[in-house]
Amino acid sequence: MNSPLHILLCDDHDLIISGLKEVLKTIPQINRVDSVNNGKQAYDQLKQTHYHLVISDVSMPEMDGIALSAKVKKDFPDTKIIMLTQFSDIQVIKQLLKNEVDGILLKGGKTNEISEAIVQILQGNKYYSSTIMHVMADCFSNSGHTPEMIIKLSKREQQVLGLIAEEFTNKEISEKLFISVPTVETYRSNLFRKFEVKNSVGLIRKAMQLGFIS
């Protein structure tokens, strides 16, 4: 997130647009925020201007967020997309996952979650709110899908998780992976968040339960 970021907001409620703009003001790397009111307008805007990220509602007139996300991923693969939904409807979530969206957040969530999602997604990670994660877990546990579909880990996160499981300290992990200790601490914090645990013991236990480590 070192280069200036261009963000496109898409929602048919001006109040939501205004609230999102206020949140985005707290991220210094963002130097352009445009807004439209439906998926068709968003798609037309994307054909004219390059955006690093689209933040869109699911329910909109003319072209909804599900259709928009499919077109964005097909025609603008370098553009990340976060979908906002008012309801944790599993059918909607399934379709958004099929469209390979980068993030799914519930409307009305914590304001800092948007900022966290943007940071994670622009680093190449996926981001789903905790409520969405629980719905996904319940669904996939009954459908034979693997845990890896629920929790997405980068290659580096997988390496750090494995070394934590082997009881290496942050300093030892930094030396093995040739990264700084603060960077290791960041990866550790990200793993705690993704697995929804508070410490390394809980992380290892849950990672083993879900089959990420043996």
Side-chain angles (χ1 to χ4, degrees), residues 63-192:
M63 181 192 294
D64 65 18
I66 293 175
L68 173 64
S69 64
K71 292 178 76 67
V72 168
K73 284 302 179 181
K74 177 178 180 292
D75 298 333
F76 310 100
D78 293 334
T79 299
K80 306 293 186 180
I81 185 163
I82 296 175
M83 300 304 303
L84 305 177
T85 179
Q86 191 170 357
F87 306 104
S88 51
D89 185 326
I90 189 58
Q91 296 305 320
V92 170
I93 294 170
K94 280 183 175 180
Q95 190 59 55
L96 293 175
L97 292 175
K98 182 179 179 181
N99 292 352
E100 300 183 347
V101 302
D102 300 284
I104 307 174
L105 303 178
L106 279 181
K107 279 187 171 181
K110 297 178 181 178
T111 55
N112 65 342
E113 193 170 42
I114 287 282
S115 301
E116 174 66 14
I118 291 173
V119 170
Q120 291 297 322
I121 287 168
L122 292 177
Q123 288 177 348
N125 302 312
K126 300 288 187 181
Y127 190 102
Y128 310 117
S129 69
S130 58
T131 301
I132 298 296
M133 290 280 285
H134 286 308
V135 173
M136 291 162 61
D138 289 341
C139 171
F140 293 140
S141 65
N142 296 322
S143 64
H145 287 75
T146 61
E148 287 78 2
M149 293 185 66
I150 304 172
I151 300 176
K152 296 287 188 180
L153 299 183
S154 66
K155 181 179 179 180
R156 184 65 85 188
E157 285 173 336
Q158 291 172 343
Q159 292 173 329
V160 172
L161 175 61
L163 292 172
I164 291 173
E166 294 179 30
E167 300 185 6
F168 284 93
T169 65
N170 285 351
K171 186 174 185 300
E172 290 170 334
I173 293 173
S174 74
E175 292 171 351
K176 276 188 167 292
L177 299 181
F178 303 102
I179 55 179
S180 69
V181 171
T183 299
V184 175
E185 292 171 349
T186 297
Y187 280 119
R188 188 184 288 265
S189 296
N190 288 343
L191 288 168
F192 287 174

